[in-house]
Amino acid sequence: MNFELTISPMNDIEADVELIIVVNNDLKHRFVHDKKMLKKAGFSAEQDETCLLIENNRLYVGVESISSVNIRTAVATAIKGLSKTSYKNLKIASYMNHPKCTAVLRAMVEGFELGAYNFDNYKSKKSTQAIKKIIISLEEYNNYELDIEICAIAVNNGQITAEATNFTRDIVNTTPDDCYPAVMADIAEKLAENNGLTCNILKPKQLKEEKMETLLAVARASRHRPRVIHLTHKPKKPKAVVTLVGKGLTYDSGGLSLKPSDYMVTMKSDKSGGSAVLGIMKAISEMNLPIEVHGFVGAVENMIGGDAYKPDDVLVAKNGKTIEVRNTDAEGRLVLADVLCYAQQEVKADYIFDFATLTGASVVGVGHYTSSVMGNNDLPKDAVIAAAKSAGEFATKLDFNRYLKKSLKSEIADICNISNTRYGGAITAGQFLEEFINKEHKDKWAHIDIAGPAFVEHAWGENPHGASGAGVRMMLRLLEKLAKEK
Ligand code: BES
Ligand code: ZN
Ligand code: ZN
């Protein structure tokens, strides 16, 4: 999609269709040209309600108020509504609250890109999004001191963010037979080549040398051998060093603790954390942020077979801790344990964030649309939650506590891979990971359980059926904020 910013008045711009945003049900506003017709169509301009007046080539959409979140979802809904039309380009006013406040402009661009996303790789008939060009008019601000450069940066960053989110969505939506660990590693290598990142891929031989035995145990029954991916973005004078770790289970059958059939469907999405890390690395290299960012992905398939790891096994993690396996479906934490240890061995970071579709309990606790944020210290957790909010993602804190921690005790090893209570599963999973964070990193780490929003089987807001790219937008905001500090 192409975006063009102009100071030309809306009336002077030639476009196939115009998108008009109606704020707070105000159908009497001067921007609303077709009052009678809209009334006849029963349009009341509720948030995300659309009305296409095909004779006038005008599309109306409602927002409750002008805010980034409202504009992003409204614009996404509107563009989705045009997907079957033959319009090739669209014009819209900028709707910024203030000429210096470009957040809404960026959200608008994100809304167009995210709303136009469509995953049809497996359809024999491809649907093509006809609208290729969006012209945004800044005419309302001609009398103010308008900094068109700042507006252009907002548009560019919005586009980079949304394209990276769509890149992540594509990986997650790809089937497990087409996207297995070696394929994830190929995607990372190609990304590194195109975007000037460094890429190191660890294959089974190196994983053995690195003593990543818990990861290797999870991977054992699959014909697809595991990979650990390490991508690096290293600017000249970085303002901070950040490590990202992603769970990349290209399929989670549950292993010998096999999932019931209903729960197995959609488990191609268990690579969402790792895919988010790849998307974030793509965007930060395109924005060229002055932050050193290391992206690690544990890419593994959890299957059954004669060589499968078993409940009752005791595994030794990279940091020497022993783990009693009581459920092979709690595999993500085993993979992350080793990858977190490896990431800390390789990089001394100011922050460590891990992204994982780790527990069904997170979805039960906070619902489908929200990520759970955990850790030992409020600082990184609050930073994630604030960044999620300004990026248009939902995230909330789940507090650790020492009583739940006890439920992970093992009689025969250092720790169990599941807790002995059926409640608080998102927290106990987070507290399991805590065991693999070194002392010096304890206060720098936050764990983000994206099991709820990563893959939803219906469209919501700017998100389509399937993968949403959860984590990408929130982490980019956080990294952009770090880049502006000091
Ligand atoms: N990948 C799943 C978690 C999950 C569930 C993600 C639903 C997305 C949607 C994870 O590996 C898992 O199976 N966790 C178990 C843990 C349990 C055995 C302690 C779960 O949540 O049931
Ligand atoms: Zn599992
Ligand atoms: Zn899993």
Side-chain angles (χ1 to χ4, degrees):
M1 207 173 254
N2 262 315
F3 291 89
E4 186 183 311
L5 266 181
T6 174
I7 50 166
S8 304
M10 283 293 278
N11 287 339
D12 296 356
I13 301 169
E14 285 214 12
D16 299 340
V17 62
E18 176 177 358
L19 177 56
I20 296 163
I21 298 179
V22 185
V23 186
N24 190 21
N25 311 95
D26 184 7
L27 287 157
K28 295 203 173 75
H29 196 277
R30 66 188 168 88
F31 279 179
V32 181
H33 312 287
D34 311 279
K35 297 182 174 67
K36 268 194 193 146
M37 228 185 289
L38 288 170
K39 200 171 169 208
K40 211 169 170 184
F43 178 68
S44 52
E46 297 300 321
Q47 174 70 43
D48 298 343
E49 184 186 354
T50 58
C51 185
L52 175 61
L53 299 181
I54 206 93
E55 284 169 17
N56 309 5
N57 297 318
R58 287 197 189 108
L59 173 63
Y60 288 86
V61 64
V63 295
E64 260 168 29
S65 61
I66 294 190
S67 72
S68 300
V69 170
N70 291 347
I71 295 278
R72 190 184 292 104
T73 60
V75 164
T77 314
I79 195 84
K80 259 183 236 169
L82 294 179
S83 63
K84 291 202 169 78
T85 63
S86 58
Y87 296 130
K88 298 267 179 302
N89 51 56
L90 174 151
K91 64 176 173 178
I92 184 169
S94 76
Y95 296 92
M96 292 191 297
N97 290 321
H98 183 276
K100 293 227 158 28
C101 178
T102 54
V104 167
L105 185 59
R106 173 173 177 164
M108 180 185 283
V109 171
E110 289 179 5
F112 278 119
E113 288 278 8
L114 295 171
Y117 176 83
N118 179 41
F119 185 75
D120 58 9
N121 288 7
Y122 298 102
K123 294 261 189 202
S124 32
K125 208 171 155 213
K126 311 285 178 205
S127 55
T128 47
Q129 171 61 252
I131 295 192
K132 296 274 182 306
K133 187 172 166 189
I134 310 280
I135 307 152
I136 304 172
S137 167
L138 297 161
E139 90 173 279
E140 311 131 82
Y141 302 102
N142 281 350
N143 299 330
Y144 298 85
E145 268 178 53
L146 181 71
D147 191 335
I148 199 137
E149 233 357 78
I150 290 182
C151 294
I153 291 171
V155 170
N156 194 40
N157 285 344
Q159 203 171 356
I160 290 174
T161 304
E163 282 173 1
T165 309
N166 289 343
F167 171 80
T168 295
R169 289 171 171 181
D170 273 346
I171 302 171
V172 175
N173 284 327
T174 302
T175 61
D177 232 24
D178 287 340
C179 186
Y180 42 87
V183 174
M184 274 194 106
D186 286 347
I187 296 171
E189 272 177 334
K190 207 175 285 155
L191 177 66
E193 209 176 288
N194 292 340
N195 284 31
L197 298 161
T198 321
C199 183
N200 184 30
I201 306 287
L202 282 78
K203 291 186 177 166
K205 186 167 166 270
Q206 287 101 353
L207 296 172
K208 233 184 154 52
E209 283 163 11
E210 287 292 344
K211 299 194 165 60
M212 293 163 84
E213 294 292 344
T214 59
L215 181 148
L216 285 163
V218 174
R220 222 164 56 205
S222 169
R223 72 191 173 98
H224 297 300
R225 307 311 298 137
R227 298 286 187 270
V228 166
I229 299 164
H230 177 191
L231 283 168
T232 309
H233 166 73
K234 204 168 186 161
K236 282 239 163 64
K237 279 188 190 154
K239 291 194 173 171
V241 180
V242 176
T243 288
L244 310 173
V245 174
K247 170 177 173 182
L249 262 290
T250 57
Y251 201 67
D252 180 12
S253 69
L256 289 180
S257 315
L258 196 63
K259 283 184 184 293
S261 355
D262 285 358
Y263 288 74
M264 209 184 293
V265 182
T266 74
M267 276 304 133
K268 66 174 182 181
S269 68
D270 217 19
K271 56 184 175 316
S272 295
S275 307
V277 168
L278 297 180
I280 298 161
M281 296 308 294
K282 173 171 155 53
I284 49 136
S285 52
E286 286 166 7
M287 288 184 193
N288 201 12
L289 288 185
I291 307 282
E292 182 175 321
V293 187
H294 295 265
F296 294 87
V297 180
V300 180
E301 190 180 55
N302 185 22
M303 295 297 280
I304 53 171
D307 195 26
Y309 84 122
K310 307 169 224 16
D312 283 356
D313 278 343
V314 172
L315 309 174
V316 186
K318 180 168 166 61
N319 67 353
K321 288 202 178 165
T322 57
I323 305 167
E324 177 188 354
V325 176
R326 293 183 72 92
N327 191 316
T328 62
D329 197 12
E331 84 302 334
R333 61 195 77 182
L334 298 174
V335 170
L336 285 179
D338 271 351
V339 182
L340 282 167
C341 291
Y342 177 71
Q344 293 171 96
Q345 167 192 296
E346 295 299 296
V347 183
K348 299 284 161 266
D350 299 313
Y351 293 100
I352 301 180
F353 299 105
D354 76 72
F355 299 87
T357 46
L358 204 61
T359 64
S362 174
V363 196
V364 172
V366 301
H368 251 312
Y369 313 108
T370 305
S371 294
S372 304
V373 184
M374 286 156 265
N376 302 294
N377 189 292
D378 278 333
L379 190 103
K381 288 189 281 184
D382 290 340
V384 169
I385 286 164
K389 197 164 185 189
S390 60
E393 288 195 55
F394 297 114
T396 193
K397 242 193 274 188
L398 297 184
D399 287 343
F400 286 169
N401 70 70
R402 61 195 172 98
Y403 305 105
L404 275 177
K405 180 75 179 252
K406 285 189 191 151
S407 69
L408 288 163
K409 252 178 84 109
S410 164
E411 293 298 329
I412 62 157
D414 296 339
I415 192 166
C416 269
N417 82 325
I418 55 165
S419 84
N420 63 20
T421 154
R422 58 162 83 219
Y423 304 113
I427 296 173
T428 49
Q431 288 190 292
F432 176 92
L433 295 182
E434 185 191 357
E435 288 298 302
F436 302 91
I437 302 292
N438 303 338
K439 236 195 196 133
E440 75 261 29
H441 284 130
K442 275 257 173 327
D443 290 336
K444 302 175 175 176
W445 164 69
H447 155 62
I448 305 153
D449 193 332
I450 55 171
F455 195 95
V456 182
E457 286 193 281
H458 56 255
W460 51 293
E462 62 276 24
N463 300 294
H465 158 96
S468 68
V472 175
R473 281 186 279 149
M474 73 165 87
M475 193 42 54
L476 287 174
R477 289 304 162 107
L478 191 153
L479 294 168
E480 285 176 67
K481 186 152 183 282
L482 283 181
K484 283 193 199 119
E485 274 172 11
K486 285 180 209 165

